[in-house]
Amino acid sequence: MSALTVLPDWIGTLEAFVELANDTLPHILPFDKTGRAKDEVNARLVRHYTTQGLLDEPLKSGREARYTRRHLLQLLVLRRLMHEGHGATPLQKILRGRDDDALEALLLGTATLDVQPGNPALEYLQNLRATPPPSALLGIVPRPTPQAPLFESPPDAKPERPERYVRFFVQPGLELHVGPDFQLPKTRTERDRLADALLAALDTLRRTKP
DNA sequence: GACTAGATAGTACAACTTGA
DNA sequence: TCAAGTTGTACTATCTAGTC
């Protein structure tokens, strides 16, 4: 059961909303060595997302805005997908067009996006995941969810690190193991570096092979 | 490699709105 | 009327792609 399930009817002020979101974000974003503060959100940013159409309009209680569990789901999914390299604009329709269950499924990793991620590496992996395993892919051990289980630990506890490696078939004779700490390259430069590193590693293997 | 232009995310600030 | 909250707009920072 997730922490969000524990809050079926949560509703609060913008301040409480921001605080709850910042408490929860470290549990849903991929691990970062620095735990950067820039992953946090603030009141102005929440309003910015609202004006951009990325979040539903808040409810009104007098002159105060009231945010609900749905807003929280939208924000968490938004931040997570942005963290993964998705642009805010294409996410606008995605987030607003989904009900709470669909949003939570996205957050928990039991559903995937059908949008172009704008990141060739992500696109490749998404296509790979969507491809039915032909006989050549039988070695793959699919990860149950794209991310670690979410919200299972209390807010003040350090999230548990999934230690599993995911194995991807690349081509006959070549399998890629992806660890939980691996960050997909976001830029062309990073992709080039990754490709260079992979080729260098393969070259080393070729030279050391008898 | 250096430079430039464009796109995007996030922030600052002033004006506006609203309830007490 | 005033204070608190919201909104609109402009700005900065950063990144990327294209060109030379």
Side-chain angles (χ1 to χ4, degrees):
Chain A
M1 183 167 58
S2 75
L4 292 175
T5 311
V6 178
L7 302 168
D9 298 315
W10 186 88
I11 185 168
T13 64
L14 176 56
E15 191 181 347
F17 178 68
V18 168
E19 192 175 342
L20 180 57
N22 284 332
D23 281 347
T24 312
L25 278 170
H27 299 274
I28 67 152
L29 294 179
F31 281 90
D32 189 304
K33 296 180 185 71
T34 60
R36 295 165 302 177
K38 77 170 192 177
D39 288 331
E40 294 189 347
V41 297
N42 54 49
R44 191 64 195 94
L45 187 55
V46 169
R47 292 194 196 103
H48 174 69
Y49 287 156
T50 304
T51 58
Q52 295 288 312
L54 294 163
L55 299 179
D56 285 352
E57 293 290 324
L59 308 176
K60 294 287 180 139
S61 172
R63 62 187 172 192
E64 280 192 340
R66 285 286 185 272
Y67 290 82
T68 65
R69 176 175 176 272
R70 174 172 174 78
H71 294 103
L72 182 63
L73 281 170
Q74 287 180 318
L75 179 64
L76 296 175
V77 171
L78 174 68
R79 294 297 295 186
R80 174 158 166 180
L81 294 176
M82 288 174 83
H83 195 98
E84 290 175 359
H86 295 278
T89 306
L91 291 176
Q92 186 177 332
K93 288 180 185 175
I94 304 297
L95 294 180
R96 292 183 71 107
R98 294 183 188 242
D99 60 21
D100 291 8
D101 290 341
L103 288 171
E104 187 165 357
L106 270 177
L107 200 57
L108 295 171
T110 55
T112 56
L113 279 185
D114 52 357
V115 295
Q116 297 299 318
N119 179 329
L122 272 174
E123 188 178 2
Y124 169 76
L125 289 175
Q126 199 169 47
N127 289 339
L128 196 62
R129 195 159 45 196
T131 305
S135 57
L137 299 180
L138 288 178
I140 293 180
V141 179
R143 201 176 181 179
T145 63
Q147 299 291 335
L150 309 175
F151 314 119
E152 296 298 344
S153 48
D156 54 340
K158 276 205 159 187
E160 287 180 22
R161 259 189 133 96
E163 294 300 336
R164 298 188 57 176
Y165 275 70
V166 185
R167 296 159 62 191
F168 287 103
F169 170 82
V170 180
Q171 57 180 253
L174 179 59
E175 203 176 79
L176 192 62
H177 292 215
V178 180
D181 291 334
F182 177 71
Q183 297 284 323
L184 284 167
K186 291 193 169 84
T187 66
R188 174 175 287 185
T189 306
E190 289 174 356
R191 287 197 296 274
D192 288 346
R193 282 191 193 137
L194 176 60
D196 288 345
L198 286 171
L199 288 172
L202 290 172
D203 197 49
T204 304
L205 183 67
R206 181 180 60 80
R207 279 187 275 112
T208 56
K209 243 181 174 177

